[in-house]
Amino acid sequence: MSTYIPPLEDMQFVIEQVLDAPASWRAQPAFAELDGDIAREVLEQAARFATEVLVPINGPGDKQGCRWSPEGVKTPDGYPAAWKQFVEGGWPALACDPEVGGQGLPNLLNAALFEMLCASNHGWTMYPGLLHGAYEAIKATAVGEIRERYLPKVVSGEWLATMNLTEPAAGSDLGLIRSRAEPLDPRPDGSIANGDRMAITGNKIFISGGDQDMTDNIVHLVLARLPDAPGGTKGLSLFLVPKFMPDGTRNNAWCDGIEHKMGIHGSATSQMRFERAEGWLLGEPHAGLAAMFLMMNAARLHVAMQGLGHLDAATQKAVRYAQERVQLRAPLRPADVPAGGGPDRIEWHPAMRRILLTLQAQSEGARVLAYWIGVLLDESEHHPDEARRRHCTNLVALLTPVAKAFLTDLGHRGADDALGVFGGYGYVHEYGVEQHVRDSRIAMIYEGTNEIQAIDLVMRKLLDSPRRSDALLAEIEAEAAACTADGLALEAGALTAQIATVRGALEALQAARAADPEAPLRVADDVLHGLGHTMLAWAWARSSRCAPRHASPAQRERKREVARFGLQWLLPAAQWRWQRVQDWALPLPWVRT
């Protein structure tokens, strides 16, 4: 019951028809030679790896979990062998620069790859989940011998990487970080430069892959403070600290234990101790947070794919079960089903139909949104027109917190709804859906909790940068006009209404900030979920408009049907979110006992 089948047909439909990514690739010299055939082959090979290698070790790995000892961490059986196959297939290098050993393929295809990996085996996927972000950080900051030694190993996947931010007293508030770094070769004038050798001391917690037996070395990226660094986040620097030094000696970077978690049992979530561990400064002194954000932003997009992966995998399981399970008599049967006695498939019962259609509409809409961000990310980096790059950069900045928070929320709550389709069997491990509920919950917490994503969206991306919301609304207006031209009144009307709603909400937010500095923060979560639904509306409308391009006649009708279900049944549920934004002056009492 735990089988996952990558939705290649829908992925290809979104990439080629809904988003017309091949046309975008042709406009970018970096991808000019890439076409739909190559992209399809990449997706097919990725699907084969996911289903043949990762799916079989997902359930057993969840039950076995990681094992810690003073000698190191042992990952579940099959994990190291799967990683070896992943590296041999060249997958870590998929979206990396060819000049440093990468394949130079689009971030869009990398996003599709990670959707399949996460849906197949979230615990295993945690290990490569930070690798591309580490590549970005090292590529942007490392110099000289450090760059030459470590960047190729990270690109190829020969060595895995970690991101060491969180400390016992510094969770989301990185300004409280106390880990320190001291120059090992101090200059007489006290100056410090990129690449200088350092001794790192401190403790970190919740470090994914802090130790493992899948690679011969681990590249730790660590935030710490140089001597006399200013307080707060402006005093943080970034350091590269390997598990093993270039001469093969063991560095003083130790895993003191692993967390016993609700889910992702195959991921070694580690407590790390650095005792004058040797490392090197990456980038300029006190500029570590900016360098780390290169890694964190990539990680947040990967986390969004975790939400989508869980949502789609759980949806598949629920639909298959509902088609096989028979219970009671349904009030109506599909027109092509002959009349007869019960019991009937539970998929025919109205309550189940609503749940299953909700899951399908959310999954397909979320895929369009996530893949569009992939297209925008590629154009923001590679498009030859500077104005287009700037436009796409603004959209990516605005949509990243929405994707991270909204898609992970959909993934967890969708998995929970899918479990309900199974009844009591959903609570049983062998059916596979309860693992999605457990594994998906963490994605709402790490890489910046969803509440922090909402604050970032409202305070930095909307209120302080109105040009970003203007750019997004212009995209939605263009889709509404396209729907109108194709005679799709329902789709065009829904988008036009959303545009007016978002503009009204932004006006209310500006008024709220002027009257009460706390008010935008009180309704930030509502803004994010409201905008998330707006983006689903855009995705559903675009899918409906492009439905006639689908290769399958049956899917043409189904695509439009599911999209319209989303617009008619699901979109109105967001209205209370927007209403709460308008009612920003409502008091929020203090918590008392």
Side-chain angles (χ1 to χ4, degrees):
M1 296 297 294
S2 61
T3 301
Y4 161 71
I5 302 173
L8 291 177
E9 183 180 80
D10 195 62
M11 290 176 163
Q12 292 163 5
F13 172 67
V14 173
I15 290 171
E16 297 177 20
Q17 305 302 329
V18 178
L19 300 177
D20 195 11
S24 171
W25 296 334
R26 288 192 294 272
Q28 302 174 68
F31 309 129
E33 298 181 1
L34 178 63
D35 58 22
D37 290 338
I38 296 175
R40 284 190 290 274
E41 178 64 21
V42 170
L43 294 180
E44 289 169 4
Q45 293 299 327
R48 186 171 294 112
F49 176 83
T51 56
E52 295 179 4
V53 179
L54 293 188
V55 168
I57 62 175
N58 182 41
D62 175 61
K63 294 183 74 173
Q64 184 182 33
C66 293
R67 292 144 290 171
W68 177 88
S69 73
E71 287 71 41
V73 170
K74 295 291 185 183
T75 57
D77 295 344
Y79 272 43
W83 182 253
K84 181 179 179 182
Q85 292 184 58
F86 193 68
V87 172
E88 290 174 347
W91 296 110
L94 187 74
C96 297
D97 191 336
E99 292 186 359
V100 294
Q103 296 188 40
L105 291 173
N107 286 294
L108 170 58
L109 295 183
N110 205 44
L113 165 68
F114 270 84
E115 177 191 342
M116 291 186 267
L117 300 182
C118 295
S120 300
N121 193 327
H122 186 175
W124 183 92
T125 305
M126 290 297 296
Y127 296 97
L130 294 175
L131 200 59
H132 190 81
Y135 149 78
E136 295 279 9
I138 295 171
K139 179 172 176 281
T141 60
V143 294
E145 185 181 352
I146 307 305
R147 179 187 177 93
E148 294 172 5
R149 180 184 302 133
Y150 291 99
L151 185 57
K153 300 289 189 180
V154 168
V155 169
S156 69
E158 183 176 345
W159 293 345
L160 279 165
T162 69
M163 179 168 63
N164 287 255
L165 284 75
T166 306
E167 297 184 2
S172 299
D173 189 353
L174 297 179
L176 298 178
I177 283 177
R178 295 185 293 181
S179 294
R180 62 188 187 277
E182 301 175 16
L184 287 173
D185 306 301
R187 295 184 178 86
D189 63 358
S191 63
I192 297 174
N194 190 0
D196 281 1
R197 200 164 61 100
M198 299 284 171
I200 314 298
T201 301
N203 294 282
K204 301 286 184 177
I205 59 172
F206 299 143
I207 307 306
S208 298
D211 195 44
Q212 37 80 8
D213 58 353
M214 295 163 57
T215 59
D216 295 333
N217 203 356
I218 302 174
V219 179
H220 299 293
L221 299 188
V222 185
L223 281 181
R225 297 184 184 280
L226 290 164
D228 302 323
T233 58
K234 294 182 179 179
L236 297 175
S237 298
L238 181 63
F239 304 89
L240 188 155
V241 183
K243 178 179 178 179
F244 289 98
M245 299 303 294
D247 63 2
T249 58
R250 182 69 162 84
N251 204 359
N252 284 324
W254 305 98
C255 173
D256 284 343
I258 56 176
E259 304 297 344
H260 303 283
K261 308 183 296 296
M262 170 181 170
I264 56 170
H265 295 152
S267 172
T269 306
S270 306
Q271 304 159 18
M272 298 298 298
R273 170 172 48 90
F274 299 91
E275 289 189 344
R276 293 189 61 79
E278 187 171 338
W280 297 271
L281 176 65
L282 288 181
E284 297 302 313
H286 318 314
L289 197 58
M292 187 63 88
F293 266 116
L294 294 170
M295 192 172 190
M296 291 173 67
N297 285 330
R300 285 169 180 168
L301 291 175
H302 281 168
V303 173
M305 304 317 295
Q306 293 170 10
L308 174 56
H310 282 295
L311 176 61
D312 186 70
T315 298
Q316 288 187 27
K317 289 178 172 65
V319 170
R320 282 198 298 271
Y321 183 81
Q323 291 171 340
E324 298 169 357
R325 178 72 164 166
V326 292
Q327 290 277 280
L328 307 173
R329 287 291 303 273
L332 296 173
R333 285 183 164 190
D336 58 349
V337 175
D344 287 328
R345 299 180 185 179
I346 64 172
E347 68 165 337
W348 295 343
H349 292 270
M352 289 296 101
R353 292 213 313 272
R354 281 193 60 172
I355 293 174
L356 297 174
L357 285 166
T358 295
L359 293 172
Q360 289 180 326
Q362 290 176 338
S363 180
E364 293 180 20
R367 181 171 296 115
V368 173
L369 172 59
Y371 285 19
W372 185 46
I373 296 174
V375 172
L376 295 172
L377 183 59
D378 287 322
E379 293 192 9
S380 73
E381 295 175 355
H382 299 290
H383 202 283
D385 181 71
E386 182 181 355
R388 180 63 186 174
R389 290 199 305 273
R390 186 165 55 250
H391 173 76
C392 292
T393 297
N394 284 331
L395 288 176
V396 169
L398 176 60
L399 291 172
T400 294
V402 177
K404 190 278 177 185
F406 190 62
L407 267 60
T408 56
D409 190 273
L410 291 179
H412 177 65
R413 302 189 194 285
D416 194 49
D417 288 341
L419 185 151
V421 173
F422 288 77
Y425 291 111
Y427 214 61
V428 177
H429 180 81
E430 285 74 14
Y431 282 77
V433 70
E434 60 85 30
Q435 186 182 342
H436 289 296
V437 178
R438 290 185 288 107
D439 286 356
S440 63
R441 186 58 179 90
I442 187 60
M444 301 169 68
I445 298 172
Y446 55 29
E447 305 310 333
T449 67
N450 285 3
E451 292 78 10
I452 286 177
Q453 301 299 321
I455 293 170
D456 174 58
L457 171 70
V458 168
M459 303 305 294
R460 296 182 62 244
K461 307 298 172 58
L462 291 175
L463 290 177
D464 291 345
S465 304
R467 68 182 183 281
R468 290 172 174 159
S469 58
D470 291 342
L472 182 61
L473 290 175
E475 295 281 351
I476 299 173
E477 287 175 334
E479 183 57 43
C483 289
T484 299
D486 282 5
L488 301 177
L490 171 65
E491 290 82 348
L495 291 186
T496 300
Q498 284 299 299
I499 292 167
T501 297
V502 173
R503 284 184 172 144
L506 293 176
E507 292 175 1
L509 279 176
Q510 292 289 0
R513 180 166 67 169
D516 178 359
E518 190 194 67
L521 301 176
R522 293 198 296 264
V523 297
D525 189 63
D526 299 296
V527 174
L528 188 143
H529 280 266
L531 192 56
H533 278 88
T534 296
M535 296 316 302
L536 283 186
W538 170 86
W540 289 326
R542 195 174 182 96
S543 295
S544 180
R545 180 171 62 83
C546 297
R549 304 175 191 172
H550 203 290
S552 166
Q555 283 297 315
R556 293 170 198 162
E557 179 180 355
R558 179 195 165 279
K559 275 288 179 186
R560 184 157 287 175
E561 191 173 71
V562 170
R564 289 185 167 178
F565 171 84
L567 292 169
Q568 294 175 313
W569 285 79
L570 305 183
L571 184 59
Q575 190 55 42
W576 68 270
R577 295 283 193 175
W578 292 121
Q579 185 58 49
R580 188 176 285 170
V581 177
Q582 296 291 343
D583 296 337
W584 57 264
L586 287 173
L588 184 64
W590 296 104
V591 177
R592 304 182 191 279
T593 57

